[in-house]
Amino acid sequence: MKRIIMAGAVLLAVMMLCTGCAAQKELPKQAEVGFYLDTVITLTAYVEDRQVLKDALEECGRYERMLSRTVEGSDVWRINHANGAPVEVSDDTMRILQCAKEISEKSGGAFDVTIAPVSTMWNFTREPHELPDAEAIARAAELVDYTRMQLDGNTVTLPEGMMIDLGGIAKGYIADQVKEYLKGRGVQYAILSFGGNIVAIGKEKPDGTPWKVGIQDIDKPTGEHMLVSLNRGGSTVTSGIYERGFTLDGVRYHHLLSAETGWPVQNELASVTIFSESSMEGDALSTTAYVLGTEKGMELIESLEGIEAVFIARDRTVTYTSGAAAYMVE
């Protein structure tokens, strides 16, 4: 029976069952589920000892305590409450910030982790739905500027009033680190679901069949795919306007915000899926490419080696980068 993992707001971390497979008989398929970073995380692997997966989930908790904007004492919390003073952070946090800065520079600021003054003003779950004050958003947007974030060794300095939010990149980094953790514990075959991020260990399953990842249908309930892609041991990340948001007076307000205006980006796109080796890069680039739109987003992704993308427009038009077809099943 064939089941497909979904890439979207909530992912179905299930795998194709194989029979008559010696490797699977020796290593049973096991799974553990947790909730971190406001996301359901499902780790599924062929392992003898299920404790390995439980330990990996504990790693997720450790990273959350380090990187969450809302956890008091985290690196991000300390940066945001330093009132302009330098803050020494972990190697992990600095690697994320360095990657974020590089993508910001390559995209002309389409991706910007200093978006927090704006992102904290939006509540996409409150009912009845309401928009934040336009003047307050405009004032907050003036505080969004990655070029003013100083990175020196392991020290971060952010001007007073500015804040960072790693929501567009941290899950990818954690997915990469958990993958390496499991590999270090001897895991050879696994599929790891972190919300819109999916990473695989092993180029295929123990029985030789490929890992398949469904790309969410933009017009259907969560879990129904529009396209199916292959994962050969790398990362598949999807960002879309259906993930977090609401519709008010015919306009879709979603979590993919413009660093320039502070408002949800309104363009032709509904989602972007990135295929890459690094889920951290894929995480940031899926947001970046969406913000840029199909034409400029395509230009950016085509300029990056080893990275491909699928753009799905609101009218269901699908556009592929030059090498993306190699990842597609249907």
Side-chain angles (χ1 to χ4, degrees):
M1 178 174 63
K2 184 165 61 178
R3 297 178 180 175
I4 297 170
I5 305 157
M6 292 303 303
V10 178
L11 297 119
L12 309 178
V14 294
M15 298 186 295
M16 184 185 297
L17 303 176
C18 69
T19 56
C21 173
Q24 185 177 353
K25 290 178 181 177
E26 296 174 3
L27 296 173
K29 184 185 72 172
Q30 306 205 56
E32 284 291 330
V33 180
F35 187 81
Y36 300 93
L37 303 159
D38 294 323
T39 300
V40 175
I41 295 176
T42 304
L43 310 180
T44 307
Y46 291 88
V47 290
E48 192 67 47
D49 184 3
R50 191 169 183 170
Q51 186 63 43
V52 173
L53 298 179
K54 294 180 179 179
D55 293 344
L57 282 179
E58 287 298 316
E59 286 293 289
C60 294
R62 183 173 70 85
Y63 283 114
E64 181 175 42
R65 292 188 293 274
M66 180 192 305
L67 303 170
S68 172
R69 178 181 57 79
T70 58
V71 173
E72 185 172 348
S74 74
D75 282 357
V76 174
W77 188 93
R78 290 187 298 111
I79 292 169
N80 291 346
H81 291 80
N83 297 317
V87 176
E88 187 171 348
V89 300
S90 65
D91 291 343
D92 296 283
T93 300
M94 186 54 66
R95 280 193 286 268
I96 294 171
L97 291 175
Q98 291 284 9
C99 178
K101 185 175 181 180
E102 291 174 8
I103 293 176
S104 294
E105 292 171 346
K106 290 176 181 177
S107 66
F111 183 79
D112 195 327
V113 294
T114 68
I115 193 72
V118 165
S119 62
T120 55
M121 299 184 67
W122 285 92
N123 187 326
F124 296 105
T125 59
R126 180 194 298 130
E127 293 188 8
H129 303 309
E130 59 182 51
L131 301 178
D133 179 75
E135 292 184 2
I137 286 284
R139 290 193 298 271
E142 294 177 357
L143 297 171
V144 180
D145 184 356
Y146 75 92
T147 66
R148 300 177 67 191
M149 178 177 65
Q150 298 179 27
L151 307 178
D152 182 16
N154 274 52
T155 300
V156 181
T157 306
L158 204 63
E160 186 172 3
M162 291 181 64
M163 298 188 295
I164 64 171
D165 185 339
L166 301 183
I169 191 171
K171 276 194 302 181
Y173 181 78
I174 297 171
D176 289 334
Q177 297 307 305
V178 170
K179 174 179 177 177
E180 292 306 309
Y181 175 83
L182 289 171
K183 288 170 65 177
R185 294 285 298 269
V187 176
Q188 297 182 352
Y189 303 97
I191 195 80
L192 315 176
S193 167
F194 289 71
N197 301 58
I198 291 184
V199 297
I201 298 175
K203 295 184 180 298
E204 56 191 16
K205 302 175 190 179
D207 66 350
T209 58
W211 305 109
K212 293 183 179 181
V213 179
I215 299 176
Q216 174 66 39
D217 190 309
I218 62 173
D219 296 317
K220 293 184 179 179
T222 297
E224 296 193 34
H225 66 270
M226 179 173 170
L227 302 169
V228 178
S229 64
L230 300 174
N231 186 309
R232 300 185 179 89
S235 166
T236 309
V237 183
T238 298
S239 290
I241 62 175
Y242 50 79
E243 294 177 5
R244 288 170 46 215
F246 58 84
T247 301
L248 187 64
D249 297 328
V251 178
R252 181 66 180 173
Y253 295 95
H254 53 82
H255 73 293
L256 300 172
L257 305 175
S258 165
E260 183 177 355
T261 68
W263 290 83
V265 174
Q266 301 296 341
N267 61 21
E268 77 285 357
L269 287 172
S271 75
V272 177
T273 297
I274 299 290
F275 306 112
S276 60
E277 185 63 31
S278 163
S279 196
M280 174 173 63
E281 292 183 357
D283 203 357
L285 287 171
S286 64
T287 297
T288 305
Y290 177 87
V291 171
L292 289 173
T294 306
E295 184 177 353
K296 292 184 178 179
M298 285 275 291
E299 291 177 6
L300 174 64
I301 301 304
E302 293 284 16
S303 73
L304 303 174
E305 185 176 354
I307 298 176
E308 303 296 340
V310 176
F311 296 76
I312 300 180
R314 299 189 192 207
D315 66 1
R316 302 180 67 81
T317 299
V318 180
T319 305
Y320 301 96
T321 52
S322 58
Y327 290 88
M328 304 310 297
V329 176
E330 57 182 72

PDB file of all heavy atoms in Angstrom, residues 235-267:
ATOM      1  N   SER A 235      16.393  17.530   1.303  1.00  0.00           N
ATOM      2  CA  SER A 235      15.346  18.298   1.975  1.00  0.00           C
ATOM      3  C   SER A 235      14.297  18.753   0.975  1.00  0.00           C
ATOM      4  O   SER A 235      14.620  19.125  -0.159  1.00  0.00           O
ATOM      5  CB  SER A 235      15.969  19.529   2.660  1.00  0.00           C
ATOM      6  OG  SER A 235      14.978  20.454   3.048  1.00  0.00           O
ATOM      7  N   THR A 236      13.047  18.732   1.411  1.00  0.00           N
ATOM      8  CA  THR A 236      11.923  19.269   0.643  1.00  0.00           C
ATOM      9  C   THR A 236      11.165  20.219   1.557  1.00  0.00           C
ATOM     10  O   THR A 236      10.692  19.818   2.614  1.00  0.00           O
ATOM     11  CB  THR A 236      10.971  18.149   0.181  1.00  0.00           C
ATOM     12  OG1 THR A 236      11.717  17.120  -0.477  1.00  0.00           O
ATOM     13  CG2 THR A 236       9.903  18.697  -0.750  1.00  0.00           C
ATOM     14  N   VAL A 237      11.078  21.488   1.157  1.00  0.00           N
ATOM     15  CA  VAL A 237      10.416  22.495   1.999  1.00  0.00           C
ATOM     16  C   VAL A 237       9.371  23.242   1.187  1.00  0.00           C
ATOM     17  O   VAL A 237       9.657  23.703   0.074  1.00  0.00           O
ATOM     18  CB  VAL A 237      11.421  23.518   2.561  1.00  0.00           C
ATOM     19  CG1 VAL A 237      10.700  24.502   3.484  1.00  0.00           C
ATOM     20  CG2 VAL A 237      12.548  22.826   3.308  1.00  0.00           C
ATOM     21  N   THR A 238       8.176  23.370   1.737  1.00  0.00           N
ATOM     22  CA  THR A 238       7.111  24.133   1.087  1.00  0.00           C
ATOM     23  C   THR A 238       6.630  25.255   1.989  1.00  0.00           C
ATOM     24  O   THR A 238       6.392  25.045   3.176  1.00  0.00           O
ATOM     25  CB  THR A 238       5.914  23.226   0.732  1.00  0.00           C
ATOM     26  OG1 THR A 238       6.338  22.228  -0.203  1.00  0.00           O
ATOM     27  CG2 THR A 238       4.779  24.038   0.116  1.00  0.00           C
ATOM     28  N   SER A 239       6.489  26.443   1.416  1.00  0.00           N
ATOM     29  CA  SER A 239       5.837  27.569   2.081  1.00  0.00           C
ATOM     30  C   SER A 239       4.644  27.981   1.248  1.00  0.00           C
ATOM     31  O   SER A 239       4.749  28.079   0.020  1.00  0.00           O
ATOM     32  CB  SER A 239       6.798  28.760   2.221  1.00  0.00           C
ATOM     33  OG  SER A 239       7.816  28.479   3.157  1.00  0.00           O
ATOM     34  N   GLY A 240       3.514  28.228   1.919  1.00  0.00           N
ATOM     35  CA  GLY A 240       2.324  28.599   1.166  1.00  0.00           C
ATOM     36  C   GLY A 240       1.398  29.495   1.953  1.00  0.00           C
ATOM     37  O   GLY A 240       1.463  29.556   3.185  1.00  0.00           O
ATOM     38  N   ILE A 241       0.514  30.161   1.244  1.00  0.00           N
ATOM     39  CA  ILE A 241      -0.394  31.110   1.886  1.00  0.00           C
ATOM     40  C   ILE A 241      -1.540  30.406   2.609  1.00  0.00           C
ATOM     41  O   ILE A 241      -2.292  31.039   3.348  1.00  0.00           O
ATOM     42  CB  ILE A 241      -0.968  32.111   0.865  1.00  0.00           C
ATOM     43  CG1 ILE A 241      -1.785  31.388  -0.216  1.00  0.00           C
ATOM     44  CG2 ILE A 241       0.145  32.913   0.220  1.00  0.00           C
ATOM     45  CD1 ILE A 241      -2.487  32.337  -1.179  1.00  0.00           C
ATOM     46  N   TYR A 242      -1.682  29.093   2.409  1.00  0.00           N
ATOM     47  CA  TYR A 242      -2.728  28.322   3.081  1.00  0.00           C
ATOM     48  C   TYR A 242      -2.292  27.892   4.479  1.00  0.00           C
ATOM     49  O   TYR A 242      -3.091  27.385   5.257  1.00  0.00           O
ATOM     50  CB  TYR A 242      -3.065  27.066   2.256  1.00  0.00           C
ATOM     51  CG  TYR A 242      -1.840  26.279   1.854  1.00  0.00           C
ATOM     52  CD1 TYR A 242      -1.210  25.423   2.750  1.00  0.00           C
ATOM     53  CD2 TYR A 242      -1.289  26.428   0.587  1.00  0.00           C
ATOM     54  CE1 TYR A 242      -0.078  24.741   2.405  1.00  0.00           C
ATOM     55  CE2 TYR A 242      -0.148  25.748   0.225  1.00  0.00           C
ATOM     56  CZ  TYR A 242       0.456  24.902   1.144  1.00  0.00           C
ATOM     57  OH  TYR A 242       1.605  24.230   0.778  1.00  0.00           O
ATOM     58  N   GLU A 243      -1.005  28.050   4.821  1.00  0.00           N
ATOM     59  CA  GLU A 243      -0.485  27.507   6.076  1.00  0.00           C
ATOM     60  C   GLU A 243      -1.029  28.243   7.299  1.00  0.00           C
ATOM     61  O   GLU A 243      -1.611  27.657   8.195  1.00  0.00           O
ATOM     62  CB  GLU A 243       1.040  27.566   6.080  1.00  0.00           C
ATOM     63  CG  GLU A 243       1.688  26.648   5.046  1.00  0.00           C
ATOM     64  CD  GLU A 243       3.197  26.776   5.035  1.00  0.00           C
ATOM     65  OE1 GLU A 243       3.751  27.491   5.887  1.00  0.00           O
ATOM     66  OE2 GLU A 243       3.827  26.170   4.148  1.00  0.00           O
ATOM     67  N   ARG A 244      -0.781  29.543   7.366  1.00  0.00           N
ATOM     68  CA  ARG A 244      -1.228  30.352   8.492  1.00  0.00           C
ATOM     69  C   ARG A 244      -1.790  31.644   7.940  1.00  0.00           C
ATOM     70  O   ARG A 244      -1.092  32.412   7.294  1.00  0.00           O
ATOM     71  CB  ARG A 244      -0.055  30.677   9.432  1.00  0.00           C
ATOM     72  CG  ARG A 244       0.441  29.520  10.254  1.00  0.00           C
ATOM     73  CD  ARG A 244       1.740  29.858  10.960  1.00  0.00           C
ATOM     74  NE  ARG A 244       1.689  31.153  11.597  1.00  0.00           N
ATOM     75  CZ  ARG A 244       2.733  31.982  11.688  1.00  0.00           C
ATOM     76  NH1 ARG A 244       3.881  31.660  11.156  1.00  0.00           N
ATOM     77  NH2 ARG A 244       2.620  33.141  12.304  1.00  0.00           N
ATOM     78  N   GLY A 245      -3.074  31.883   8.187  1.00  0.00           N
ATOM     79  CA  GLY A 245      -3.671  33.110   7.683  1.00  0.00           C
ATOM     80  C   GLY A 245      -5.178  33.063   7.747  1.00  0.00           C
ATOM     81  O   GLY A 245      -5.780  32.117   8.253  1.00  0.00           O
ATOM     82  N   PHE A 246      -5.790  34.119   7.223  1.00  0.00           N
ATOM     83  CA  PHE A 246      -7.250  34.193   7.174  1.00  0.00           C
ATOM     84  C   PHE A 246      -7.650  35.043   5.981  1.00  0.00           C
ATOM     85  O   PHE A 246      -6.849  35.795   5.430  1.00  0.00           O
ATOM     86  CB  PHE A 246      -7.805  34.797   8.471  1.00  0.00           C
ATOM     87  CG  PHE A 246      -7.271  36.178   8.797  1.00  0.00           C
ATOM     88  CD1 PHE A 246      -7.826  37.321   8.238  1.00  0.00           C
ATOM     89  CD2 PHE A 246      -6.214  36.325   9.694  1.00  0.00           C
ATOM     90  CE1 PHE A 246      -7.334  38.590   8.542  1.00  0.00           C
ATOM     91  CE2 PHE A 246      -5.717  37.586  10.010  1.00  0.00           C
ATOM     92  CZ  PHE A 246      -6.275  38.724   9.431  1.00  0.00           C
ATOM     93  N   THR A 247      -8.890  34.881   5.586  1.00  0.00           N
ATOM     94  CA  THR A 247      -9.433  35.652   4.474  1.00  0.00           C
ATOM     95  C   THR A 247     -10.450  36.640   5.022  1.00  0.00           C
ATOM     96  O   THR A 247     -11.358  36.266   5.779  1.00  0.00           O
ATOM     97  CB  THR A 247     -10.088  34.734   3.431  1.00  0.00           C
ATOM     98  OG1 THR A 247      -9.106  33.815   2.944  1.00  0.00           O
ATOM     99  CG2 THR A 247     -10.644  35.547   2.264  1.00  0.00           C
ATOM    100  N   LEU A 248     -10.294  37.909   4.662  1.00  0.00           N
ATOM    101  CA  LEU A 248     -11.174  38.966   5.147  1.00  0.00           C
ATOM    102  C   LEU A 248     -11.529  39.868   3.975  1.00  0.00           C
ATOM    103  O   LEU A 248     -10.639  40.387   3.282  1.00  0.00           O
ATOM    104  CB  LEU A 248     -10.470  39.768   6.239  1.00  0.00           C
ATOM    105  CG  LEU A 248     -11.302  40.816   6.984  1.00  0.00           C
ATOM    106  CD1 LEU A 248     -12.425  40.146   7.773  1.00  0.00           C
ATOM    107  CD2 LEU A 248     -10.401  41.625   7.927  1.00  0.00           C
ATOM    108  N   ASP A 249     -12.824  40.029   3.730  1.00  0.00           N
ATOM    109  CA  ASP A 249     -13.306  40.864   2.622  1.00  0.00           C
ATOM    110  C   ASP A 249     -12.659  40.470   1.303  1.00  0.00           C
ATOM    111  O   ASP A 249     -12.282  41.311   0.484  1.00  0.00           O
ATOM    112  CB  ASP A 249     -13.042  42.345   2.913  1.00  0.00           C
ATOM    113  CG  ASP A 249     -13.786  42.848   4.136  1.00  0.00           C
ATOM    114  OD1 ASP A 249     -14.896  42.333   4.401  1.00  0.00           O
ATOM    115  OD2 ASP A 249     -13.258  43.738   4.834  1.00  0.00           O
ATOM    116  N   GLY A 250     -12.517  39.157   1.107  1.00  0.00           N
ATOM    117  CA  GLY A 250     -12.000  38.639  -0.150  1.00  0.00           C
ATOM    118  C   GLY A 250     -10.490  38.680  -0.307  1.00  0.00           C
ATOM    119  O   GLY A 250      -9.971  38.294  -1.360  1.00  0.00           O
ATOM    120  N   VAL A 251      -9.767  39.126   0.729  1.00  0.00           N
ATOM    121  CA  VAL A 251      -8.304  39.214   0.653  1.00  0.00           C
ATOM    122  C   VAL A 251      -7.690  38.175   1.593  1.00  0.00           C
ATOM    123  O   VAL A 251      -8.115  38.036   2.736  1.00  0.00           O
ATOM    124  CB  VAL A 251      -7.798  40.617   1.041  1.00  0.00           C
ATOM    125  CG1 VAL A 251      -6.276  40.675   1.001  1.00  0.00           C
ATOM    126  CG2 VAL A 251      -8.405  41.665   0.115  1.00  0.00           C
ATOM    127  N   ARG A 252      -6.680  37.450   1.109  1.00  0.00           N
ATOM    128  CA  ARG A 252      -5.989  36.460   1.925  1.00  0.00           C
ATOM    129  C   ARG A 252      -4.829  37.125   2.656  1.00  0.00           C
ATOM    130  O   ARG A 252      -3.890  37.636   2.034  1.00  0.00           O
ATOM    131  CB  ARG A 252      -5.461  35.325   1.056  1.00  0.00           C
ATOM    132  CG  ARG A 252      -4.733  34.210   1.822  1.00  0.00           C
ATOM    133  CD  ARG A 252      -5.661  33.465   2.738  1.00  0.00           C
ATOM    134  NE  ARG A 252      -4.969  32.393   3.468  1.00  0.00           N
ATOM    135  CZ  ARG A 252      -5.536  31.675   4.429  1.00  0.00           C
ATOM    136  NH1 ARG A 252      -6.807  31.908   4.775  1.00  0.00           N
ATOM    137  NH2 ARG A 252      -4.860  30.738   5.051  1.00  0.00           N
ATOM    138  N   TYR A 253      -4.911  37.152   3.971  1.00  0.00           N
ATOM    139  CA  TYR A 253      -3.836  37.691   4.804  1.00  0.00           C
ATOM    140  C   TYR A 253      -3.087  36.501   5.414  1.00  0.00           C
ATOM    141  O   TYR A 253      -3.690  35.692   6.117  1.00  0.00           O
ATOM    142  CB  TYR A 253      -4.409  38.591   5.903  1.00  0.00           C
ATOM    143  CG  TYR A 253      -5.084  39.833   5.358  1.00  0.00           C
ATOM    144  CD1 TYR A 253      -6.467  39.856   5.137  1.00  0.00           C
ATOM    145  CD2 TYR A 253      -4.348  40.970   5.050  1.00  0.00           C
ATOM    146  CE1 TYR A 253      -7.093  40.984   4.628  1.00  0.00           C
ATOM    147  CE2 TYR A 253      -4.963  42.110   4.548  1.00  0.00           C
ATOM    148  CZ  TYR A 253      -6.324  42.104   4.328  1.00  0.00           C
ATOM    149  OH  TYR A 253      -6.939  43.229   3.818  1.00  0.00           O
ATOM    150  N   HIS A 254      -1.802  36.401   5.157  1.00  0.00           N
ATOM    151  CA  HIS A 254      -1.026  35.223   5.535  1.00  0.00           C
ATOM    152  C   HIS A 254       0.306  35.629   6.165  1.00  0.00           C
ATOM    153  O   HIS A 254       0.648  36.814   6.233  1.00  0.00           O
ATOM    154  CB  HIS A 254      -0.792  34.346   4.302  1.00  0.00           C
ATOM    155  CG  HIS A 254      -0.196  35.101   3.152  1.00  0.00           C
ATOM    156  ND1 HIS A 254       1.164  35.352   3.053  1.00  0.00           N
ATOM    157  CD2 HIS A 254      -0.768  35.701   2.076  1.00  0.00           C
ATOM    158  CE1 HIS A 254       1.396  36.050   1.959  1.00  0.00           C
ATOM    159  NE2 HIS A 254       0.245  36.287   1.347  1.00  0.00           N
ATOM    160  N   HIS A 255       1.074  34.625   6.601  1.00  0.00           N
ATOM    161  CA  HIS A 255       2.272  34.871   7.401  1.00  0.00           C
ATOM    162  C   HIS A 255       3.515  35.228   6.593  1.00  0.00           C
ATOM    163  O   HIS A 255       4.564  35.527   7.175  1.00  0.00           O
ATOM    164  CB  HIS A 255       2.577  33.643   8.260  1.00  0.00           C
ATOM    165  CG  HIS A 255       3.118  32.486   7.474  1.00  0.00           C
ATOM    166  ND1 HIS A 255       2.377  31.803   6.541  1.00  0.00           N
ATOM    167  CD2 HIS A 255       4.340  31.890   7.493  1.00  0.00           C
ATOM    168  CE1 HIS A 255       3.108  30.848   6.016  1.00  0.00           C
ATOM    169  NE2 HIS A 255       4.314  30.876   6.579  1.00  0.00           N
ATOM    170  N   LEU A 256       3.431  35.214   5.268  1.00  0.00           N
ATOM    171  CA  LEU A 256       4.589  35.548   4.436  1.00  0.00           C
ATOM    172  C   LEU A 256       4.574  37.063   4.210  1.00  0.00           C
ATOM    173  O   LEU A 256       3.918  37.571   3.311  1.00  0.00           O
ATOM    174  CB  LEU A 256       4.536  34.771   3.120  1.00  0.00           C
ATOM    175  CG  LEU A 256       4.539  33.243   3.302  1.00  0.00           C
ATOM    176  CD1 LEU A 256       4.287  32.536   1.988  1.00  0.00           C
ATOM    177  CD2 LEU A 256       5.853  32.776   3.919  1.00  0.00           C
ATOM    178  N   LEU A 257       5.316  37.758   5.065  1.00  0.00           N
ATOM    179  CA  LEU A 257       5.231  39.219   5.145  1.00  0.00           C
ATOM    180  C   LEU A 257       6.313  39.921   4.326  1.00  0.00           C
ATOM    181  O   LEU A 257       7.428  39.417   4.182  1.00  0.00           O
ATOM    182  CB  LEU A 257       5.335  39.668   6.607  1.00  0.00           C
ATOM    183  CG  LEU A 257       4.348  39.055   7.583  1.00  0.00           C
ATOM    184  CD1 LEU A 257       4.658  39.515   8.999  1.00  0.00           C
ATOM    185  CD2 LEU A 257       2.907  39.407   7.207  1.00  0.00           C
ATOM    186  N   SER A 258       5.982  41.098   3.857  1.00  0.00           N
ATOM    187  CA  SER A 258       6.944  41.960   3.178  1.00  0.00           C
ATOM    188  C   SER A 258       7.773  42.695   4.218  1.00  0.00           C
ATOM    189  O   SER A 258       7.221  43.366   5.097  1.00  0.00           O
ATOM    190  CB  SER A 258       6.220  42.971   2.285  1.00  0.00           C
ATOM    191  OG  SER A 258       7.095  44.014   1.902  1.00  0.00           O
ATOM    192  N   ALA A 259       9.102  42.576   4.121  1.00  0.00           N
ATOM    193  CA  ALA A 259       9.977  43.300   5.038  1.00  0.00           C
ATOM    194  C   ALA A 259       9.899  44.799   4.808  1.00  0.00           C
ATOM    195  O   ALA A 259      10.203  45.595   5.693  1.00  0.00           O
ATOM    196  CB  ALA A 259      11.420  42.825   4.860  1.00  0.00           C
ATOM    197  N   GLU A 260       9.459  45.193   3.638  1.00  0.00           N
ATOM    198  CA  GLU A 260       9.377  46.612   3.294  1.00  0.00           C
ATOM    199  C   GLU A 260       8.115  47.261   3.836  1.00  0.00           C
ATOM    200  O   GLU A 260       8.161  48.357   4.416  1.00  0.00           O
ATOM    201  CB  GLU A 260       9.439  46.781   1.776  1.00  0.00           C
ATOM    202  CG  GLU A 260       9.433  48.223   1.316  1.00  0.00           C
ATOM    203  CD  GLU A 260       9.568  48.356  -0.189  1.00  0.00           C
ATOM    204  OE1 GLU A 260       9.761  47.326  -0.872  1.00  0.00           O
ATOM    205  OE2 GLU A 260       9.479  49.492  -0.692  1.00  0.00           O
ATOM    206  N   THR A 261       6.974  46.584   3.686  1.00  0.00           N
ATOM    207  CA  THR A 261       5.699  47.190   4.073  1.00  0.00           C
ATOM    208  C   THR A 261       5.147  46.661   5.392  1.00  0.00           C
ATOM    209  O   THR A 261       4.337  47.333   6.035  1.00  0.00           O
ATOM    210  CB  THR A 261       4.639  46.949   2.990  1.00  0.00           C
ATOM    211  OG1 THR A 261       4.306  45.553   2.948  1.00  0.00           O
ATOM    212  CG2 THR A 261       5.142  47.401   1.623  1.00  0.00           C
ATOM    213  N   GLY A 262       5.545  45.437   5.765  1.00  0.00           N
ATOM    214  CA  GLY A 262       4.996  44.821   6.973  1.00  0.00           C
ATOM    215  C   GLY A 262       3.680  44.087   6.746  1.00  0.00           C
ATOM    216  O   GLY A 262       3.122  43.516   7.679  1.00  0.00           O
ATOM    217  N   TRP A 263       3.186  44.106   5.516  1.00  0.00           N
ATOM    218  CA  TRP A 263       1.915  43.449   5.193  1.00  0.00           C
ATOM    219  C   TRP A 263       2.162  42.142   4.437  1.00  0.00           C
ATOM    220  O   TRP A 263       3.211  41.980   3.807  1.00  0.00           O
ATOM    221  CB  TRP A 263       1.036  44.379   4.341  1.00  0.00           C
ATOM    222  CG  TRP A 263       0.516  45.537   5.134  1.00  0.00           C
ATOM    223  CD1 TRP A 263       1.168  46.702   5.413  1.00  0.00           C
ATOM    224  CD2 TRP A 263      -0.749  45.622   5.789  1.00  0.00           C
ATOM    225  NE1 TRP A 263       0.395  47.521   6.195  1.00  0.00           N
ATOM    226  CE2 TRP A 263      -0.799  46.890   6.443  1.00  0.00           C
ATOM    227  CE3 TRP A 263      -1.854  44.786   5.890  1.00  0.00           C
ATOM    228  CZ2 TRP A 263      -1.894  47.309   7.183  1.00  0.00           C
ATOM    229  CZ3 TRP A 263      -2.955  45.196   6.620  1.00  0.00           C
ATOM    230  CH2 TRP A 263      -2.967  46.453   7.257  1.00  0.00           C
ATOM    231  N   PRO A 264       1.207  41.201   4.496  1.00  0.00           N
ATOM    232  CA  PRO A 264       1.355  39.980   3.720  1.00  0.00           C
ATOM    233  C   PRO A 264       1.564  40.290   2.239  1.00  0.00           C
ATOM    234  O   PRO A 264       0.898  41.162   1.682  1.00  0.00           O
ATOM    235  CB  PRO A 264       0.016  39.258   3.949  1.00  0.00           C
ATOM    236  CG  PRO A 264      -0.429  39.745   5.294  1.00  0.00           C
ATOM    237  CD  PRO A 264      -0.016  41.191   5.335  1.00  0.00           C
ATOM    238  N   VAL A 265       2.520  39.584   1.645  1.00  0.00           N
ATOM    239  CA  VAL A 265       2.827  39.808   0.231  1.00  0.00           C
ATOM    240  C   VAL A 265       1.638  39.364  -0.618  1.00  0.00           C
ATOM    241  O   VAL A 265       1.135  38.247  -0.468  1.00  0.00           O
ATOM    242  CB  VAL A 265       4.087  39.025  -0.178  1.00  0.00           C
ATOM    243  CG1 VAL A 265       4.328  39.128  -1.674  1.00  0.00           C
ATOM    244  CG2 VAL A 265       5.292  39.542   0.601  1.00  0.00           C
ATOM    245  N   GLN A 266       1.191  40.243  -1.489  1.00  0.00           N
ATOM    246  CA  GLN A 266       0.088  39.916  -2.387  1.00  0.00           C
ATOM    247  C   GLN A 266       0.633  39.821  -3.807  1.00  0.00           C
ATOM    248  O   GLN A 266       0.888  40.818  -4.473  1.00  0.00           O
ATOM    249  CB  GLN A 266      -1.013  40.982  -2.300  1.00  0.00           C
ATOM    250  CG  GLN A 266      -1.611  41.168  -0.911  1.00  0.00           C
ATOM    251  CD  GLN A 266      -2.337  39.923  -0.399  1.00  0.00           C
ATOM    252  OE1 GLN A 266      -2.705  39.030  -1.159  1.00  0.00           O
ATOM    253  NE2 GLN A 266      -2.523  39.855   0.915  1.00  0.00           N
ATOM    254  N   ASN A 267       0.875  38.604  -4.240  1.00  0.00           N
ATOM    255  CA  ASN A 267       1.328  38.393  -5.614  1.00  0.00           C
ATOM    256  C   ASN A 267       0.575  37.206  -6.205  1.00  0.00           C
ATOM    257  O   ASN A 267      -0.434  36.761  -5.655  1.00  0.00           O
ATOM    258  CB  ASN A 267       2.854  38.205  -5.675  1.00  0.00           C
ATOM    259  CG  ASN A 267       3.343  36.993  -4.883  1.00  0.00           C
ATOM    260  OD1 ASN A 267       2.580  36.062  -4.600  1.00  0.00           O
ATOM    261  ND2 ASN A 267       4.622  36.993  -4.514  1.00  0.00           N
TER     262      ASN A 267
END
